[in-house]
Amino acid sequence: MQLLRLASVLLLSTGFALAQNSNGTLSALTAADQAANAAPAEPTTPHSFDLSAIDKTADPCTDFFQYACGNWRKANPIPSDQVRWGRFNELSEHNRYLLYLDLKKAADSPQTALQHKYGDFFAACMNTDVADKLGDKPIQPILAHIDSLSDKKQLGMLLAHLQTQAGVPAFMQFRVEQDQKDSTRQIADTAQGGLSLPDRDYYLEDNPRMTKVRAQYHDYVVGVFKLIGDSPDKAEAEAKSVIDIETALAKGSLPRVELRNPDNVYHIMKVTELNTLAPDFDWTAYIDGLSAPHFDTLNVATPEYFKTLNQVIDGQSLDNIKSYLRFHAANTFAPWLANDFADASFNFFQKTLQGQVEQTARWKRCTALTDRAMGEAVGQDWVKENFPPSAKENMEKLVAALKVALAQDIQSLPWMSEDTKKQAEVKLDAFRQKIGYPENWRDYSKLEVKRDDLVGNLRRSATFRWDWEINHLGKPVDEKEWGMTPPTVNAYYDPPMNDINFPAGILQPPFFDNSKDPAVNFGGIGVVIGHEMTHGFDDEGSKYDAKGNVKDWWTPTDRKEFDARTDCEVKEYSGFEPVAGTHLNGKLTLGENTADNGGIRIAYQALLSTLVAENVSPDKKIDDYTSPQRFFISFAQVWCENRTDEVQRVSAKTDPHSPGMFRVNGVVRNFDEFGKAFGCHKGQPMMPDDACRVW
Ligand SMILES: [Zn+2]
């Protein structure tokens, strides 16, 4: 739930092309799978504070990212099955490998009912022999259902079926989330959706690069229609319909930056008012088909979009609409069908769009898929093996230290009035935290998994997830639920919950290492904790009060002062150019940049307080570096990475996080303590005169 609004420390997901679907009847993995599977080998164990990563020929005051990460970057080119490769990818791959070992064991010799279930899910996914033999058969019932449509009036029922029984998103999004102005309530929410490319700009921008991407997308869509058995002429005509419809939907969609403002996406309406926005869509049949508990009102996040949707339904022929839906069904399942489907999907979404050279090994994809479908099942065994109770205790201490530092930081702000400071304190005091894994695990007993039916498993797990979500409607909020699975290398702040969340997966080196001095841990996980806390006070989070409601708790003067300071960051980051001709979008990345900049300040303050309490001089050197220097190197090394140019371009359009280089250099240049620690002079690139500061 509310996944759209979670503010995480890393990219949440690519957000497109990866359908979350899942199914098999083998006694064990087949020979071909064993071969595809032969590659798994234990990846290197990531470690914290890596002296060998440092490029001592670089000047830290000129380019700190190069100094802290230069040698690592040289020694770690992007593997052919990745589009970015950084320290957190190392950890993520390590976690995935350990999870794979659990899944393989569960597939071969399960000990518990739960292992039997997720083992079968994994085995079904690994069975490429069956997938290749079946071709498009597993999705034929869905395609036949779409083909059987004889009247646009039946579209409501069909879309509900696709959503609840197949996990195929089309035309719009429908979900349950907390009421943004009364966070105790869980309400229905519908919003723009229905695109296949990463962002509306891919359909609308008029430049040679986007024109080329659209031509490549056209070829992919034609290819998918041919794969499901259509003649070349028919496939061409159908592709035109798909792209016409998606382009019209893109025109009616709000840009990402506007979706960041909670006021832009809050429109509580009566269900009957949907008929005014989109009279040509049968809302009654659609809502009946969702099997939802009764509701009279809902949030229509993007009302104008639904007017566009109505024009599309009204203006396009029934056959064109069917083409759009057939493509969305085939595209959703393509990565998990026969090889030719999976290759076509890979070639466009990974290779062309993001620059990935080789398809990711099957065992990696199936491990990730099983984690997505049954994360709180596989996570139970994973945390037993990989998450010691001491890690949780140590995290609690760190979080407490960071809370104290943020309170001090708020008190010290020269531009904020006492009234607003008091309100900020109230919000900070109300922060809740979740560390490691859920107290109550999700119950998967109603999910049926078959060992010989991957697409069936994907469909049933989509239905399972839908039932789980839709039945939140009208119920009290469960504060103990998680939005990420335990092995995930990420963390998030959830504005309506006003809580910070740290899955077990991130509580390891390079972020967190019990064997290292405080400087290393405050620079790693400490900055991550500070980052999540600062999200409560970024451009978006600052609009929510202590109870998680969108409510203005600022004096007008303070809000003006805040906006002037965030504007400084918007301009600063918009000036960064990760690849020639592509600039970051300072407005899209504002929340993350604010969190990065605030996070490092409070983590640094918490480190200094800890050193005082432990009676350790900050100047005492370890490995030839003082504590402040170790703090900044540890911080920077979390973000060591290489990226393809293609992924830099996609990220600049879609990712609210800046690339590693600017998460390091953009932040240290705004924090004079960095320059002091490395003996820089005012005016050098990493200690400029025009630094920005919000928190
Ligand atoms: Zn974040």
Side-chain angles (χ1 to χ4, degrees):
M1 295 186 319
Q2 318 115 10
L3 268 178
L4 276 188
R5 288 186 218 279
L6 299 184
S8 70
V9 74
L10 302 166
L11 185 68
L12 261 177
S13 75
T14 50
F16 55 97
L18 294 173
Q20 295 200 5
N21 300 325
S22 57
N23 218 332
T25 45
L26 293 180
S27 58
L29 306 180
T30 66
D33 297 327
Q34 300 283 14
N37 214 11
E42 181 160 6
T44 39
T45 309
H47 40 260
S48 49
F49 202 82
D50 185 354
L51 286 167
S52 71
I54 297 172
D55 174 6
K56 291 207 172 174
T57 67
D59 177 359
C61 300
T62 305
D63 182 349
F64 188 53
F65 182 64
Q66 178 63 26
Y67 178 81
C69 294
N71 282 1
W72 186 93
R73 294 187 71 208
K74 215 189 294 173
N76 288 276
I78 306 167
S80 58
D81 68 340
Q82 307 276 340
V83 296
R84 60 168 70 78
W85 187 246
R87 304 294 303 291
F88 67 82
N89 297 100
E90 282 182 344
L91 178 55
S92 201
E93 287 290 302
H94 188 72
N95 287 356
R96 178 150 68 170
Y97 176 75
L98 296 175
L99 189 55
Y100 157 75
L101 294 181
D102 285 352
L103 298 181
K104 175 98 169 64
K105 207 161 85 187
D108 292 344
S109 52
Q111 305 293 312
T112 67
L114 205 52
Q115 286 171 4
H116 205 281
K117 193 170 273 192
Y118 69 69
D120 280 353
F121 190 104
F122 180 72
C125 181
M126 289 300 293
N127 194 340
T128 50
D129 286 351
V130 165
D132 284 337
K133 217 179 291 162
L134 291 173
D136 68 352
K137 246 194 210 125
I139 60 164
Q140 277 172 6
I142 305 174
L143 299 177
H145 197 130
I146 295 168
D147 281 331
S148 72
L149 212 64
S150 59
D151 189 312
K152 288 185 197 171
K153 286 267 169 286
Q154 298 163 337
L155 201 53
M157 216 189 311
L158 176 67
L159 289 198
H161 175 84
L162 290 174
Q163 164 112 37
T164 63
Q165 307 298 312
V168 174
F171 283 124
M172 64 171 120
Q173 302 179 61
F174 198 98
R175 61 204 171 202
V176 177
E177 63 165 40
Q178 281 170 270
D179 184 333
Q180 303 294 302
K181 296 199 178 177
D182 177 1
S183 66
T184 62
R185 281 165 27 96
Q186 301 197 86
I187 60 168
D189 176 284
T190 188
Q192 65 190 39
L195 305 181
S196 307
L197 290 172
D199 187 84
R200 71 193 283 282
D201 287 356
Y202 280 78
Y203 297 89
L204 307 178
E205 261 184 21
D206 185 16
N207 62 50
R209 203 175 58 77
M210 286 302 196
T211 307
K212 189 175 168 198
V213 169
R214 285 194 287 271
Q216 290 162 321
Y217 177 54
H218 165 267
D219 293 347
Y220 166 66
V221 181
V222 170
V224 168
F225 281 116
K226 286 187 192 161
L227 284 173
I228 55 174
D230 295 345
S231 70
D233 286 352
K234 191 178 176 212
E236 279 288 340
E238 289 179 295
K240 186 179 180 310
S241 302
V242 172
I243 292 169
D244 283 353
I245 289 175
E246 290 186 357
T247 305
L249 297 178
K251 279 183 191 153
S253 298
L254 282 183
R256 247 167 235 275
V257 167
E258 290 182 38
L259 297 173
R260 290 188 61 75
N261 183 346
D263 290 319
N264 288 348
V265 289
Y266 189 75
H267 312 277
I268 300 291
M269 293 186 185
K270 288 191 184 121
V271 170
T272 48
E273 286 176 83
L274 288 166
N275 298 322
T276 316
L277 290 173
D280 292 313
F281 183 71
D282 187 346
W283 288 100
T284 307
Y286 177 67
I287 289 170
D288 278 354
L290 295 177
S291 315
H294 178 78
F295 61 101
D296 293 314
T297 58
L298 81 169
N299 182 43
V300 181
T302 51
E304 290 302 312
Y305 173 81
F306 288 95
K307 294 182 187 169
T308 301
L309 178 60
N310 197 70
Q311 286 166 8
V312 169
I313 293 169
D314 186 41
Q316 294 282 343
S317 72
L318 181 60
D319 277 348
N320 290 355
I321 291 172
K322 284 188 193 175
S323 297
Y324 167 83
L325 294 173
R326 280 159 54 82
F327 170 71
H328 274 253
N331 182 48
T332 296
F333 289 99
W336 309 109
L337 296 175
N339 232 340
D340 39 4
F341 282 88
D343 283 351
S345 174
F346 166 77
N347 281 329
F348 180 70
F349 286 107
Q350 265 72 44
K351 199 176 208 169
T352 302
L353 272 183
Q354 305 192 69
Q356 185 172 327
V357 177
E358 277 183 324
Q359 173 67 287
T360 311
R362 187 83 182 178
W363 70 268
K364 290 188 184 183
R365 292 194 288 141
C366 289
T367 300
L369 188 71
T370 313
D371 184 44
R372 281 207 296 272
M374 303 184 64
E376 290 195 15
V378 300
Q380 296 182 32
D381 291 326
W382 195 87
V383 295
K384 263 183 233 154
E385 291 153 12
N386 302 299
F387 188 64
S390 62
K392 193 164 181 167
E393 287 158 27
N394 287 328
M395 267 301 279
E396 277 162 359
K397 278 186 211 151
L398 285 168
V399 172
L402 267 287
K403 269 192 178 173
V404 171
L406 179 50
Q408 288 167 348
D409 178 82
I410 291 167
Q411 284 311 321
S412 75
L413 292 176
W415 55 271
M416 189 181 272
S417 72
E418 287 307 314
D419 284 352
T420 306
K421 280 182 184 174
K422 223 174 268 165
Q423 295 301 317
E425 284 277 344
V426 170
K427 176 158 185 179
L428 175 59
D429 280 345
F431 270 11
R432 282 176 293 105
Q433 69 214 37
K434 298 208 290 287
I435 295 166
Y437 55 91
E439 258 176 62
N440 309 315
W441 296 100
R442 203 172 296 183
D443 175 7
Y444 290 91
S445 54
K446 285 191 181 144
L447 172 62
E448 189 191 4
V449 172
K450 295 183 184 171
R451 207 174 163 95
D452 62 352
D453 183 12
L454 170 57
V455 168
N457 288 340
L458 289 170
R459 292 187 62 174
R460 284 184 290 274
S461 65
T463 303
F464 175 81
R465 190 166 36 244
W466 175 259
D467 286 344
W468 178 82
E469 172 159 356
I470 201 69
N471 283 306
H472 283 71
L473 201 52
K475 301 250 169 66
V477 172
D478 182 351
E479 290 169 354
K480 293 176 174 169
E481 273 175 5
W482 280 71
M484 287 178 184
T485 71
T488 307
V489 181
N490 208 337
Y492 67 94
Y493 170 74
D494 185 344
M497 296 290 258
N498 196 28
D499 68 1
I500 50 177
N501 302 268
F502 306 95
I506 196 172
L507 305 177
Q508 308 177 71
F511 294 93
F512 182 47
D513 185 345
N514 268 338
S515 70
K516 286 284 159 62
D517 51 307
V520 170
N521 282 321
F522 278 101
I525 198 72
V527 176
V528 173
I529 300 168
H531 172 105
E532 300 307 340
M533 286 181 174
T534 309
H535 270 312
F537 303 95
D538 69 15
D539 59 320
E540 206 172 11
S542 64
K543 295 196 166 122
Y544 293 78
D545 70 6
K547 291 181 174 156
N549 296 321
V550 174
K551 196 172 165 194
D552 194 1
W553 47 270
W554 294 66
T555 67
T557 317
D558 288 335
R559 177 54 82 174
K560 217 184 258 174
E561 292 282 347
F562 176 82
D563 289 345
R565 282 161 176 79
T566 54
D567 279 350
C568 178
E569 281 186 0
V570 169
K571 288 195 191 88
E572 180 182 28
Y573 281 79
S574 294
F576 296 148
E577 196 176 1
V579 45
T582 298
H583 284 256
L584 296 186
N585 180 338
K587 284 186 177 163
L588 176 64
T589 55
L590 176 58
E592 297 301 334
N593 298 333
T594 303
D596 281 347
N597 279 279
I600 199 166
R601 274 179 191 274
I602 59 175
Y604 189 73
Q605 187 51 50
L607 167 66
L608 295 185
S609 303
T610 301
L611 293 178
V612 169
E614 293 179 0
N615 210 10
V616 177
S617 162
D619 296 331
K620 188 186 155 215
K621 289 188 178 180
I622 304 177
D623 306 323
D624 253 355
Y625 290 105
T626 64
S627 277
Q629 289 172 335
R630 290 172 69 78
F631 170 88
F632 288 109
I633 292 170
S634 175
F635 155 73
Q637 289 190 339
V638 159
W639 301 115
C640 296
E641 64 168 8
N642 288 302
R643 295 181 175 215
T644 64
D645 286 355
E646 290 87 345
V647 105
Q648 293 281 24
R649 292 189 191 103
V650 175
S651 301
K653 282 275 175 224
T654 60
D655 191 351
H657 306 88
S658 298
M661 178 190 299
F662 303 112
R663 295 191 82 158
V664 174
N665 288 351
V667 165
V668 298
R669 75 194 290 284
N670 286 335
F671 191 28
D672 275 357
E673 296 308 314
F674 166 79
K676 287 180 203 159
F678 283 89
C680 310
H681 306 293
K682 262 287 177 205
Q684 285 190 285
M686 297 294 109
M687 204 180 184
D689 297 313
D690 60 349
C692 302
R693 177 178 178 188
V694 182
W695 293 101

